[in-house]
mmCIF file of all heavy atoms in Angstrom:
data_model
loop_
_atom_site.group_PDB
_atom_site.id
_atom_site.type_symbol
_atom_site.label_atom_id
_atom_site.label_comp_id
_atom_site.label_asym_id
_atom_site.label_seq_id
_atom_site.Cartn_x
_atom_site.Cartn_y
_atom_site.Cartn_z
ATOM 1 N N LEU A 1 30.450 -30.234 -26.236
ATOM 2 C CA LEU A 1 30.635 -31.556 -26.804
ATOM 3 C C LEU A 1 30.143 -31.526 -28.239
ATOM 4 O O LEU A 1 29.005 -31.164 -28.512
ATOM 5 C CB LEU A 1 29.851 -32.595 -25.993
ATOM 6 C CG LEU A 1 29.921 -34.038 -26.493
ATOM 7 C CD1 LEU A 1 31.313 -34.612 -26.256
ATOM 8 C CD2 LEU A 1 28.876 -34.905 -25.782
ATOM 9 N N ALA A 2 31.008 -31.932 -29.178
ATOM 10 C CA ALA A 2 30.671 -31.832 -30.597
ATOM 11 C C ALA A 2 30.361 -33.190 -31.214
ATOM 12 O O ALA A 2 30.234 -33.293 -32.431
ATOM 13 C CB ALA A 2 31.818 -31.167 -31.361
ATOM 14 N N LEU A 3 30.207 -34.231 -30.396
ATOM 15 C CA LEU A 3 30.091 -35.593 -30.902
ATOM 16 C C LEU A 3 28.924 -35.779 -31.862
ATOM 17 O O LEU A 3 29.010 -36.551 -32.817
ATOM 18 C CB LEU A 3 29.960 -36.577 -29.733
ATOM 19 C CG LEU A 3 29.873 -38.057 -30.092
ATOM 20 C CD1 LEU A 3 31.114 -38.510 -30.856
ATOM 21 C CD2 LEU A 3 29.673 -38.896 -28.838
ATOM 22 N N PHE A 4 27.837 -35.035 -31.636
ATOM 23 C CA PHE A 4 26.648 -35.200 -32.476
ATOM 24 C C PHE A 4 26.389 -33.978 -33.372
ATOM 25 O O PHE A 4 25.253 -33.708 -33.746
ATOM 26 C CB PHE A 4 25.427 -35.513 -31.604
ATOM 27 C CG PHE A 4 25.547 -36.843 -30.909
ATOM 28 C CD1 PHE A 4 25.840 -36.895 -29.552
ATOM 29 C CD2 PHE A 4 25.399 -38.027 -31.606
ATOM 30 C CE1 PHE A 4 25.973 -38.118 -28.900
ATOM 31 C CE2 PHE A 4 25.524 -39.253 -30.976
ATOM 32 C CZ PHE A 4 25.815 -39.311 -29.619
ATOM 33 N N ASN A 5 27.473 -33.281 -33.719
ATOM 34 C CA ASN A 5 27.340 -32.126 -34.617
ATOM 35 C C ASN A 5 27.190 -32.523 -36.082
ATOM 36 O O ASN A 5 26.581 -31.804 -36.864
ATOM 37 C CB ASN A 5 28.546 -31.197 -34.476
ATOM 38 C CG ASN A 5 28.452 -30.320 -33.230
ATOM 39 O OD1 ASN A 5 27.567 -30.506 -32.402
ATOM 40 N ND2 ASN A 5 29.372 -29.383 -33.097
ATOM 41 N N LEU A 6 27.791 -33.639 -36.475
ATOM 42 C CA LEU A 6 27.739 -34.099 -37.865
ATOM 43 C C LEU A 6 27.942 -35.608 -37.877
ATOM 44 O O LEU A 6 28.628 -36.154 -36.999
ATOM 45 C CB LEU A 6 28.800 -33.388 -38.704
ATOM 46 C CG LEU A 6 28.674 -33.475 -40.229
ATOM 47 C CD1 LEU A 6 27.311 -32.979 -40.717
ATOM 48 C CD2 LEU A 6 29.785 -32.674 -40.907
ATOM 49 N N GLY A 7 27.399 -36.278 -38.877
ATOM 50 C CA GLY A 7 27.296 -37.734 -38.878
ATOM 51 C C GLY A 7 28.591 -38.500 -38.742
ATOM 52 O O GLY A 7 28.624 -39.582 -38.143
ATOM 53 N N PHE A 8 29.695 -37.964 -39.286
ATOM 54 C CA PHE A 8 30.933 -38.724 -39.232
ATOM 55 C C PHE A 8 31.429 -38.909 -37.799
ATOM 56 O O PHE A 8 32.096 -39.904 -37.492
ATOM 57 C CB PHE A 8 32.024 -38.042 -40.077
ATOM 58 C CG PHE A 8 32.642 -36.820 -39.457
ATOM 59 C CD1 PHE A 8 33.810 -36.912 -38.715
ATOM 60 C CD2 PHE A 8 32.058 -35.572 -39.615
ATOM 61 C CE1 PHE A 8 34.385 -35.784 -38.148
ATOM 62 C CE2 PHE A 8 32.621 -34.438 -39.057
ATOM 63 C CZ PHE A 8 33.789 -34.535 -38.313
ATOM 64 N N ARG A 9 31.100 -37.993 -36.903
ATOM 65 C CA ARG A 9 31.665 -38.029 -35.559
ATOM 66 C C ARG A 9 31.230 -39.275 -34.765
ATOM 67 O O ARG A 9 32.084 -40.097 -34.375
ATOM 68 C CB ARG A 9 31.300 -36.749 -34.804
ATOM 69 C CG ARG A 9 32.002 -35.497 -35.332
ATOM 70 C CD ARG A 9 31.567 -34.262 -34.571
ATOM 71 N NE ARG A 9 32.245 -33.043 -34.973
ATOM 72 C CZ ARG A 9 33.389 -32.606 -34.481
ATOM 73 N NH1 ARG A 9 34.003 -33.315 -33.546
ATOM 74 N NH2 ARG A 9 33.934 -31.477 -34.909
ATOM 75 N N PRO A 10 29.944 -39.484 -34.484
ATOM 76 C CA PRO A 10 29.572 -40.664 -33.699
ATOM 77 C C PRO A 10 29.782 -41.969 -34.460
ATOM 78 O O PRO A 10 30.176 -42.979 -33.855
ATOM 79 C CB PRO A 10 28.087 -40.434 -33.401
ATOM 80 C CG PRO A 10 27.599 -39.559 -34.504
ATOM 81 C CD PRO A 10 28.754 -38.655 -34.820
ATOM 82 N N PHE A 11 29.550 -41.971 -35.767
ATOM 83 C CA PHE A 11 29.629 -43.232 -36.505
ATOM 84 C C PHE A 11 31.069 -43.676 -36.753
ATOM 85 O O PHE A 11 31.354 -44.873 -36.715
ATOM 86 C CB PHE A 11 28.834 -43.130 -37.808
ATOM 87 C CG PHE A 11 27.360 -43.266 -37.597
ATOM 88 C CD1 PHE A 11 26.522 -42.167 -37.705
ATOM 89 C CD2 PHE A 11 26.796 -44.489 -37.255
ATOM 90 C CE1 PHE A 11 25.150 -42.290 -37.489
ATOM 91 C CE2 PHE A 11 25.437 -44.627 -37.036
ATOM 92 C CZ PHE A 11 24.610 -43.522 -37.150
ATOM 93 N N PHE A 12 31.987 -42.754 -36.969
ATOM 94 C CA PHE A 12 33.389 -43.152 -37.099
ATOM 95 C C PHE A 12 33.935 -43.611 -35.756
ATOM 96 O O PHE A 12 34.678 -44.592 -35.678
ATOM 97 C CB PHE A 12 34.234 -41.985 -37.631
ATOM 98 C CG PHE A 12 34.041 -41.710 -39.101
ATOM 99 C CD1 PHE A 12 33.157 -42.446 -39.866
ATOM 100 C CD2 PHE A 12 34.759 -40.703 -39.729
ATOM 101 C CE1 PHE A 12 32.972 -42.193 -41.233
ATOM 102 C CE2 PHE A 12 34.600 -40.442 -41.080
ATOM 103 C CZ PHE A 12 33.704 -41.184 -41.829
ATOM 104 N N LEU A 13 33.565 -42.901 -34.692
ATOM 105 C CA LEU A 13 34.021 -43.315 -33.362
ATOM 106 C C LEU A 13 33.423 -44.668 -32.992
ATOM 107 O O LEU A 13 34.134 -45.565 -32.509
ATOM 108 C CB LEU A 13 33.630 -42.254 -32.324
ATOM 109 C CG LEU A 13 34.137 -42.496 -30.893
ATOM 110 C CD1 LEU A 13 35.654 -42.567 -30.858
ATOM 111 C CD2 LEU A 13 33.633 -41.396 -29.955
ATOM 112 N N GLY A 14 32.119 -44.838 -33.231
ATOM 113 C CA GLY A 14 31.475 -46.121 -32.933
ATOM 114 C C GLY A 14 32.049 -47.250 -33.766
ATOM 115 O O GLY A 14 32.273 -48.358 -33.265
ATOM 116 N N ALA A 15 32.321 -46.981 -35.059
ATOM 117 C CA ALA A 15 32.893 -48.010 -35.934
ATOM 118 C C ALA A 15 34.266 -48.436 -35.448
ATOM 119 O O ALA A 15 34.592 -49.641 -35.435
ATOM 120 C CB ALA A 15 32.977 -47.480 -37.365
ATOM 121 N N ALA A 16 35.090 -47.478 -35.046
ATOM 122 C CA ALA A 16 36.440 -47.807 -34.595
ATOM 123 C C ALA A 16 36.420 -48.604 -33.290
ATOM 124 O O ALA A 16 37.173 -49.572 -33.131
ATOM 125 C CB ALA A 16 37.254 -46.525 -34.425
ATOM 126 N N VAL A 17 35.566 -48.196 -32.359
ATOM 127 C CA VAL A 17 35.437 -48.961 -31.106
ATOM 128 C C VAL A 17 34.957 -50.369 -31.407
ATOM 129 O O VAL A 17 35.480 -51.357 -30.862
ATOM 130 C CB VAL A 17 34.473 -48.244 -30.132
ATOM 131 C CG1 VAL A 17 34.161 -49.146 -28.939
ATOM 132 C CG2 VAL A 17 35.062 -46.922 -29.658
ATOM 133 N N TYR A 18 33.976 -50.475 -32.294
ATOM 134 C CA TYR A 18 33.431 -51.794 -32.617
ATOM 135 C C TYR A 18 34.432 -52.638 -33.404
ATOM 136 O O TYR A 18 34.430 -53.862 -33.296
ATOM 137 C CB TYR A 18 32.135 -51.645 -33.403
ATOM 138 C CG TYR A 18 31.317 -52.915 -33.414
ATOM 139 C CD1 TYR A 18 30.902 -53.506 -32.220
ATOM 140 C CD2 TYR A 18 30.969 -53.540 -34.611
ATOM 141 C CE1 TYR A 18 30.165 -54.674 -32.221
ATOM 142 C CE2 TYR A 18 30.219 -54.701 -34.618
ATOM 143 C CZ TYR A 18 29.826 -55.271 -33.418
ATOM 144 O OH TYR A 18 29.097 -56.435 -33.420
ATOM 145 N N ALA A 19 35.296 -51.991 -34.195
ATOM 146 C CA ALA A 19 36.351 -52.718 -34.892
ATOM 147 C C ALA A 19 37.262 -53.430 -33.897
ATOM 148 O O ALA A 19 37.712 -54.557 -34.138
ATOM 149 C CB ALA A 19 37.166 -51.758 -35.762
ATOM 150 N N VAL A 20 37.520 -52.786 -32.771
ATOM 151 C CA VAL A 20 38.350 -53.384 -31.735
ATOM 152 C C VAL A 20 37.571 -54.443 -30.966
ATOM 153 O O VAL A 20 38.032 -55.584 -30.790
ATOM 154 C CB VAL A 20 38.872 -52.295 -30.765
ATOM 155 C CG1 VAL A 20 39.616 -52.934 -29.588
ATOM 156 C CG2 VAL A 20 39.779 -51.318 -31.498
ATOM 157 N N VAL A 21 36.375 -54.096 -30.505
ATOM 158 C CA VAL A 21 35.592 -54.999 -29.649
ATOM 159 C C VAL A 21 35.179 -56.264 -30.395
ATOM 160 O O VAL A 21 35.328 -57.384 -29.881
ATOM 161 C CB VAL A 21 34.347 -54.264 -29.104
ATOM 162 C CG1 VAL A 21 33.419 -55.245 -28.374
ATOM 163 C CG2 VAL A 21 34.765 -53.141 -28.157
ATOM 164 N N SER A 22 34.658 -56.119 -31.608
ATOM 165 C CA SER A 22 34.142 -57.276 -32.338
ATOM 166 C C SER A 22 35.259 -58.239 -32.722
ATOM 167 O O SER A 22 35.091 -59.464 -32.650
ATOM 168 C CB SER A 22 33.364 -56.839 -33.575
ATOM 169 O OG SER A 22 34.197 -56.118 -34.456
ATOM 170 N N ILE A 23 36.418 -57.712 -33.144
ATOM 171 C CA ILE A 23 37.526 -58.598 -33.496
ATOM 172 C C ILE A 23 38.147 -59.208 -32.241
ATOM 173 O O ILE A 23 38.632 -60.351 -32.276
ATOM 174 C CB ILE A 23 38.577 -57.850 -34.337
ATOM 175 C CG1 ILE A 23 37.969 -57.464 -35.681
ATOM 176 C CG2 ILE A 23 39.810 -58.716 -34.568
ATOM 177 C CD1 ILE A 23 37.506 -58.651 -36.525
ATOM 178 N N PHE A 24 38.102 -58.499 -31.114
ATOM 179 C CA PHE A 24 38.560 -59.103 -29.852
ATOM 180 C C PHE A 24 37.676 -60.290 -29.486
ATOM 181 O O PHE A 24 38.164 -61.349 -29.071
ATOM 182 C CB PHE A 24 38.548 -58.060 -28.740
ATOM 183 C CG PHE A 24 39.007 -58.601 -27.410
ATOM 184 C CD1 PHE A 24 40.358 -58.791 -27.149
ATOM 185 C CD2 PHE A 24 38.085 -58.935 -26.426
ATOM 186 C CE1 PHE A 24 40.784 -59.300 -25.929
ATOM 187 C CE2 PHE A 24 38.492 -59.443 -25.205
ATOM 188 C CZ PHE A 24 39.854 -59.630 -24.958
ATOM 189 N N ILE A 25 36.362 -60.124 -29.656
ATOM 190 C CA ILE A 25 35.440 -61.243 -29.403
ATOM 191 C C ILE A 25 35.722 -62.386 -30.376
ATOM 192 O O ILE A 25 35.768 -63.556 -29.990
ATOM 193 C CB ILE A 25 33.974 -60.773 -29.527
ATOM 194 C CG1 ILE A 25 33.638 -59.765 -28.420
ATOM 195 C CG2 ILE A 25 33.013 -61.963 -29.465
ATOM 196 C CD1 ILE A 25 32.267 -59.127 -28.571
ATOM 197 N N TRP A 26 35.922 -62.035 -31.660
ATOM 198 C CA TRP A 26 36.207 -63.061 -32.670
ATOM 199 C C TRP A 26 37.528 -63.768 -32.383
ATOM 200 O O TRP A 26 37.660 -64.980 -32.575
ATOM 201 C CB TRP A 26 36.230 -62.415 -34.052
ATOM 202 C CG TRP A 26 36.537 -63.348 -35.188
ATOM 203 C CD1 TRP A 26 37.514 -63.200 -36.121
ATOM 204 C CD2 TRP A 26 35.854 -64.562 -35.525
ATOM 205 N NE1 TRP A 26 37.493 -64.243 -37.012
ATOM 206 C CE2 TRP A 26 36.478 -65.090 -36.668
ATOM 207 C CE3 TRP A 26 34.785 -65.246 -34.973
ATOM 208 C CZ2 TRP A 26 36.078 -66.275 -37.274
ATOM 209 C CZ3 TRP A 26 34.364 -66.429 -35.562
ATOM 210 C CH2 TRP A 26 35.010 -66.936 -36.703
ATOM 211 N N LEU A 27 38.518 -63.030 -31.880
ATOM 212 C CA LEU A 27 39.788 -63.628 -31.478
ATOM 213 C C LEU A 27 39.569 -64.650 -30.367
ATOM 214 O O LEU A 27 40.138 -65.750 -30.391
ATOM 215 C CB LEU A 27 40.754 -62.530 -31.006
ATOM 216 C CG LEU A 27 42.085 -62.977 -30.393
ATOM 217 C CD1 LEU A 27 42.932 -63.709 -31.417
ATOM 218 C CD2 LEU A 27 42.847 -61.762 -29.849
ATOM 219 N N GLY A 28 38.711 -64.294 -29.409
ATOM 220 C CA GLY A 28 38.408 -65.235 -28.333
ATOM 221 C C GLY A 28 37.673 -66.464 -28.830
ATOM 222 O O GLY A 28 37.965 -67.599 -28.423
ATOM 223 N N LEU A 29 36.705 -66.259 -29.740
ATOM 224 C CA LEU A 29 35.921 -67.381 -30.256
ATOM 225 C C LEU A 29 36.760 -68.303 -31.131
ATOM 226 O O LEU A 29 36.684 -69.527 -31.013
ATOM 227 C CB LEU A 29 34.727 -66.854 -31.067
ATOM 228 C CG LEU A 29 33.648 -66.100 -30.293
ATOM 229 C CD1 LEU A 29 32.647 -65.474 -31.261
ATOM 230 C CD2 LEU A 29 32.923 -67.034 -29.331
ATOM 231 N N TYR A 30 37.581 -67.723 -31.998
ATOM 232 C CA TYR A 30 38.317 -68.527 -32.969
ATOM 233 C C TYR A 30 39.647 -69.037 -32.416
ATOM 234 O O TYR A 30 39.997 -70.204 -32.596
ATOM 235 C CB TYR A 30 38.578 -67.711 -34.232
ATOM 236 C CG TYR A 30 39.128 -68.531 -35.377
ATOM 237 C CD1 TYR A 30 38.278 -69.135 -36.300
ATOM 238 C CD2 TYR A 30 40.500 -68.735 -35.529
ATOM 239 C CE1 TYR A 30 38.767 -69.903 -37.342
ATOM 240 C CE2 TYR A 30 41.006 -69.502 -36.561
ATOM 241 C CZ TYR A 30 40.138 -70.082 -37.463
ATOM 242 O OH TYR A 30 40.641 -70.849 -38.484
ATOM 243 N N GLY A 31 40.388 -68.143 -31.742
ATOM 244 C CA GLY A 31 41.741 -68.512 -31.326
ATOM 245 C C GLY A 31 41.861 -69.027 -29.918
ATOM 246 O O GLY A 31 42.803 -69.769 -29.602
ATOM 247 N N LEU A 32 40.922 -68.652 -29.048
ATOM 248 C CA LEU A 32 41.041 -69.014 -27.634
ATOM 249 C C LEU A 32 39.970 -69.992 -27.170
ATOM 250 O O LEU A 32 39.962 -70.377 -26.002
ATOM 251 C CB LEU A 32 40.990 -67.742 -26.770
ATOM 252 C CG LEU A 32 42.045 -66.670 -27.089
ATOM 253 C CD1 LEU A 32 41.843 -65.447 -26.204
ATOM 254 C CD2 LEU A 32 43.452 -67.233 -26.923
ATOM 255 N N GLY A 33 39.058 -70.360 -28.061
ATOM 256 C CA GLY A 33 38.066 -71.373 -27.725
ATOM 257 C C GLY A 33 36.941 -70.907 -26.830
ATOM 258 O O GLY A 33 36.326 -71.713 -26.124
ATOM 259 N N TRP A 34 36.636 -69.608 -26.848
ATOM 260 C CA TRP A 34 35.501 -69.127 -26.057
ATOM 261 C C TRP A 34 34.195 -69.737 -26.571
ATOM 262 O O TRP A 34 34.068 -70.065 -27.753
ATOM 263 C CB TRP A 34 35.391 -67.608 -26.159
ATOM 264 C CG TRP A 34 36.486 -66.855 -25.486
ATOM 265 C CD1 TRP A 34 37.556 -67.362 -24.820
ATOM 266 C CD2 TRP A 34 36.628 -65.426 -25.448
ATOM 267 N NE1 TRP A 34 38.372 -66.354 -24.367
ATOM 268 C CE2 TRP A 34 37.819 -65.154 -24.734
ATOM 269 C CE3 TRP A 34 35.875 -64.375 -25.937
ATOM 270 C CZ2 TRP A 34 38.261 -63.855 -24.503
ATOM 271 C CZ3 TRP A 34 36.313 -63.075 -25.718
ATOM 272 C CH2 TRP A 34 37.490 -62.823 -24.996
ATOM 273 N N SER A 35 33.238 -69.852 -25.682
ATOM 274 C CA SER A 35 31.916 -70.337 -26.077
ATOM 275 C C SER A 35 31.100 -69.188 -26.655
ATOM 276 O O SER A 35 31.113 -68.075 -26.115
ATOM 277 C CB SER A 35 31.181 -70.925 -24.867
ATOM 278 O OG SER A 35 31.885 -72.037 -24.347
#
């Protein structure tokens, strides 16, 4: 497993996952009326 061999690996993967998750949450809060 090379995920922690160099800084770009975990942080780019984490950033991309969070780009999806955080905007999905924001979509629910803004567009779907989530609490």
Side-chain angles (χ1 to χ4, degrees):
L1 179 70
L3 182 60
F4 295 105
N5 282 8
L6 195 56
F8 76 94
R9 290 178 177 272
F11 282 107
F12 285 1
L13 185 59
V17 171
Y18 197 58
V20 174
V21 172
S22 61
I23 294 299
F24 180 78
I25 294 173
W26 179 234
L27 173 64
L29 293 172
Y30 190 90
L32 303 178
W34 291 1
S35 298

